[in-house]
Amino acid sequence: MDTERADPSDLDALRVAFPPELRRPPLGWDAVHDFEREQGIVLPEPYRTLVAEICDGSGEGPADVDGLIPLKSLPADWGSGGAQRAPAKAFPLTEAWVWEDDPRPYEEIEPLIDEVSNDGSIVLGTDGCGLYWHLVVTGAQRGRIWAVSDVGAAPFGKEPGFAEWVAHWAESF
């Protein structure tokens, strides 16, 4: 998985996966660079090129509710309380964690859960019922897709990034 250069075959597959009639307009490179500068990150490829050149989300996509949401958005059910999003901070996990089974008191793990939900990632969408898809943008898991829910967090697949996540969805759709 190369998160620094977009593979042309990945971009071709993304164009096919997101039908033109359901695509939101792309942001353009200036807007992507502005977002990256504001957040202190560089988006991983091929997601970066997707939002700059192909589409900034799609009404139909890998996330079941509202499809692939725009770069600067959060799902409608995200809520307003809690910690602020901090994409420039490193994503804190390298392996799955089911906090529902963690024996520590909730008061001890609550700040860690906030970090998993808010640090080092952008939110791609939701499957509802408290399950959100994150693209990790900083830290050891950069470029990987993680499912973060109300009971825990886990990477999607063995090593897949954004293109593989979309391909999995497109094959099962």
Side-chain angles (χ1 to χ4, degrees):
M1 170 176 63
D2 185 352
T3 61
E4 304 308 316
R5 287 179 298 281
D7 181 322
S9 64
D10 285 345
L11 295 175
D12 289 343
L14 292 172
R15 284 182 185 92
V16 170
F18 297 109
E21 65 274 11
L22 296 174
R23 294 180 193 166
R24 293 178 182 94
L27 292 177
W29 284 107
D30 288 343
V32 168
H33 292 147
D34 288 346
F35 176 83
E36 291 174 330
R37 203 170 16 263
E38 290 166 8
Q39 297 299 320
I41 62 167
V42 174
L43 295 168
E45 290 291 356
Y47 178 78
R48 185 178 198 231
T49 297
L50 175 90
V51 297
E53 296 181 2
I54 301 170
C55 64
D56 181 25
S58 175
E60 197 171 274
D64 285 344
V65 178
D66 296 328
L68 182 67
I69 64 172
L71 172 62
K72 298 177 184 178
S73 298
L74 288 171
D77 65 348
W78 185 260
S80 59
Q84 292 291 349
R85 303 272 313 133
K89 291 184 179 179
F91 185 74
L93 299 179
T94 57
E95 59 187 43
W97 176 36
V98 180
W99 46 77
E100 182 178 70
D101 295 337
D102 196 304
R104 295 176 285 180
Y106 185 75
E107 298 76 30
E108 185 178 328
I109 65 171
E110 182 180 25
L112 304 174
I113 295 169
D114 284 344
E115 289 176 11
V116 171
S117 296
N118 293 300
D119 294 355
S121 69
I122 58 167
V123 182
L124 300 173
T126 181
D127 280 354
C129 298
L131 180 109
Y132 303 96
W133 294 103
H134 292 240
L135 172 61
V136 177
V137 297
T138 52
Q141 295 289 296
R142 185 176 190 281
R144 301 268 324 263
I145 301 294
W146 277 68
V148 179
S149 74
D150 57 345
V151 298
F156 175 78
K158 292 195 186 276
E159 285 296 325
F162 180 75
E164 292 82 7
W165 179 66
V166 171
H168 175 79
W169 166 78
E171 290 168 4
S172 62
F173 183 62

